[in-house]
C-alpha cells in the first residue's frame, strides 16, 4: 500500500489508518439547564463519561462540579442553558470547559486576606489548586467559557 497523499477533485485524501490502531477521539459535550439541578447533572454525566473512558474521576469531577455550579449561579441568564464539554487531548490532557451566557461577568478569584479567600471565593480557589491550568475565554458574544486542564500523566 502506498503512503502517498492523493488529490481527488478539490479534496485531499490520505491513506487511513486501520480502525483497530486509531483511538477514537475522547470528546463529550452536552447542554444543561442553568439551574442547581443542571449543575448536579453536569457532575454526574462527567463522572460517567470519565468512567467510560477509563480515566480517574478525581480531581476532574470536583472541577466540573465547581465550574458547573458557577455557571448555574453566576452565569445564569433566564431561558438559556450552559454547556459542559470534556476532551482528552494529546499528550494526555483532560480539558474541561463550561460555557455560559454571561460573557459580561468574567470570574475573578477573590483576593486572599489572611490566607483564606473571601466569602464566595472558595470555588475558583479550589479549581486553581486542583487544575494544572485554568482560564477564561470571552465570546462569542454573549457567552464566555471557563476552562481547566488536568495533566493525566503525572
Amino acid at each position: 500500500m502506498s503512503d502517498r497523499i492523493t488529490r481527488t477533485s478539490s479534496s485531499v485524501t490520505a491513506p487511513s489508518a486501520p480502525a483497530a490502531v486509531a483511538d477514537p477521539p475522547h470528546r463529550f459535550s452536552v447542554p444543561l439547564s442553568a439551574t442547581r439541578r443542571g449543575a448536579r447533572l453536569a457532575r454526574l454525566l462527567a463522572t460517567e463519561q470519565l468512567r467510560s473512558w477509563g480515566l480517574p474521576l478525581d480531581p476532574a469531577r470536583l472541577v466540573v462540579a465547581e465550574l458547573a455550579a458557577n455557571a448555574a449561579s453566576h452565569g445564569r441568564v433566564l431561558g438559556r442553558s450552559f454547556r459542559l464539554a470534556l476532551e482528552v487531548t494529546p499528550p494526555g490532557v483532560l480539558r474541561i470547559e463550561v460555557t455560559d451566557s454571561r460573557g459580561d461577568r468574567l470570574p475573578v478569584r477573590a483576593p486572599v486576606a489572611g490566607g483564606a479567600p473571601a466569602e464566595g471565593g472558595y470555588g475558583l480557589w479550589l479549581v486553581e489548586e486542583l487544575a494544572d491550568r485554568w482560564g477564561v475565554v470571552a465570546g462569542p458574544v454573549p457567552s464566555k467559557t471557563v476552562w481547566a486542564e488536568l495533566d493525566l500523566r503525572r
Side-chain angles (χ1 to χ4, degrees):
M1 176 182 250
S2 171
D3 285 333
R4 300 183 301 157
I5 295 177
T6 56
R7 184 173 296 276
T8 319
S9 63
S10 64
S11 64
V12 176
T13 59
S16 60
V21 175
D23 286 332
H26 288 323
R27 291 188 196 120
F28 173 79
S29 179
V30 62
L32 298 158
S33 65
T35 62
R36 287 180 20 200
R37 182 175 284 172
R40 181 176 183 272
L41 185 55
R43 181 182 51 81
L44 295 172
L45 290 170
T47 298
E48 288 308 309
Q49 192 61 54
L50 294 168
R51 190 173 280 134
S52 77
W53 290 340
L55 297 177
L57 301 180
D58 291 322
R61 66 180 163 184
L62 299 172
V63 172
V64 167
E66 183 52 42
L67 295 182
N70 282 352
S73 59
H74 305 296
R76 183 177 185 178
V77 172
L78 191 61
R80 295 197 183 169
S81 60
F82 72 92
R83 177 168 295 278
L84 167 67
L86 305 173
E87 182 176 13
V88 178
T89 62
V93 173
L94 173 64
R95 184 173 176 96
I96 300 162
E97 295 182 348
V98 174
T99 303
D100 66 45
S101 298
R102 291 295 305 261
D104 60 327
R105 295 185 68 185
L106 299 179
V108 178
R109 184 173 165 215
V112 176
E119 184 178 336
Y122 283 101
L124 290 177
W125 178 80
L126 181 67
V127 170
E128 189 170 300
E129 290 299 312
L130 295 175
D132 293 296
R133 292 163 297 284
W134 77 278
V136 182
V137 177
V141 173
S143 64
K144 71 171 173 300
T145 299
V146 182
W147 59 269
E149 291 182 339
L150 303 170
D151 294 332
L152 298 173
R153 298 180 186 210
R154 294 191 222 186

